[in-house]
Amino acid sequence: MPIPLEHFAKDLDPKRTVLLFGAGSSIPSGAPKVGDIIARFAKKYSLPSEGFNLSEISSLAEKKSSRADIVKELRVMCSGVKPTGGLKNLPLFDWKSIYTTNYDDLIEQVYKSQNKGLRIYHCDFNFTTGDDSTECDLFKLHGTIEHDVSDGHNSRLIITDGDYDLAEQYRNYLFDRLKGDLAGSDLVIIGQSLADPDIKQIVSRAAKINESVASPARITLLLYTQD
């Protein structure tokens, strides 16, 4: 049974807790499931929907049409999403940092609605350091729906096989920051199965580093969804 986010917070120290959001956390708020995106791309671009993951079918769709077109389709599917449930309670706590592999702007919406500061990073090109402790840092590891190279931006959505190959080039600082934030911290994974090889590798490395120190910190992996 799903556990509300605020219940998690009672057993954690938010200031030393890193949140990592995956696709499952956005579905109750109207964001499309991976299967829905695959089905839409398959229908629009006359592709088989069986046997392909999202990056594979996105690559095929891009070849049949254009990157701009598949990004447009993705934006249509992500439009109109509104935060529900535990997401609305995020700004109530002073989290060490927040990471997400989602493209949508649900987290941005809840912070804006409560007039809470939020620094947003979605690629190395907009990566800066800040000293305003009243703001929370949000790192969008797979990009943000508003920015893509097809629009002339430096940032790109990580959606095709080629994008994953370029992820290191575009988000090196972001992943380094995640590695650093995990040291000596608790980690709460929300709606993420660790199927993403980038995330799995970082979490595994953090766990190994933690085991090697004299006074290891607690790293908690809570696979939690809001389905």
Side-chain angles (χ1 to χ4, degrees), residues 23 26-27 29-34 36-37 40-41 54 70-83 101-109 140 142-147 157-159:
S26 292
I27 292 172
S29 299
K33 298 179 181 178
V34 171
D36 295 336
I37 301 175
R40 185 180 181 113
F41 282 4
L54 179 58
I70 65 170
V71 169
K72 179 181 177 181
E73 287 297 311
L74 191 60
R75 285 171 175 163
V76 170
M77 297 188 75
C78 291
S79 64
V81 296
K82 297 295 180 183
T101 58
N102 297 329
Y103 312 122
D104 60 63
D105 66 347
L106 289 167
I107 296 176
E108 294 95 312
Q109 287 186 46
K140 306 191 77 169
H142 284 178
T144 188
I145 196 66
E146 302 93 348
H147 298 282
L157 295 173
I158 305 301
I159 185 170

Side-chain angles (χ1 to χ4, degrees), residues 2-6 8-9 12 17-28 84-87 89-90 93 95 97-102 107 187-194 199 220-227:
I3 301 174
L5 183 63
E6 56 268 29
F8 275 139
L12 297 168
T17 299
V18 176
L19 301 182
L20 175 57
F21 286 89
S25 64
S26 292
I27 292 172
T84 59
L87 283 178
N89 296 314
L90 278 179
F93 307 97
W95 306 106
S97 55
I98 302 175
Y99 291 80
T100 180
T101 58
N102 297 329
I107 296 176
L187 174 65
V188 178
I189 301 174
I190 304 170
Q192 174 62 265
S193 67
L194 290 185
I199 304 301
T220 304
L221 307 182
L222 299 174
L223 302 183
Y224 165 73
T225 66
Q226 297 184 42
D227 293 346

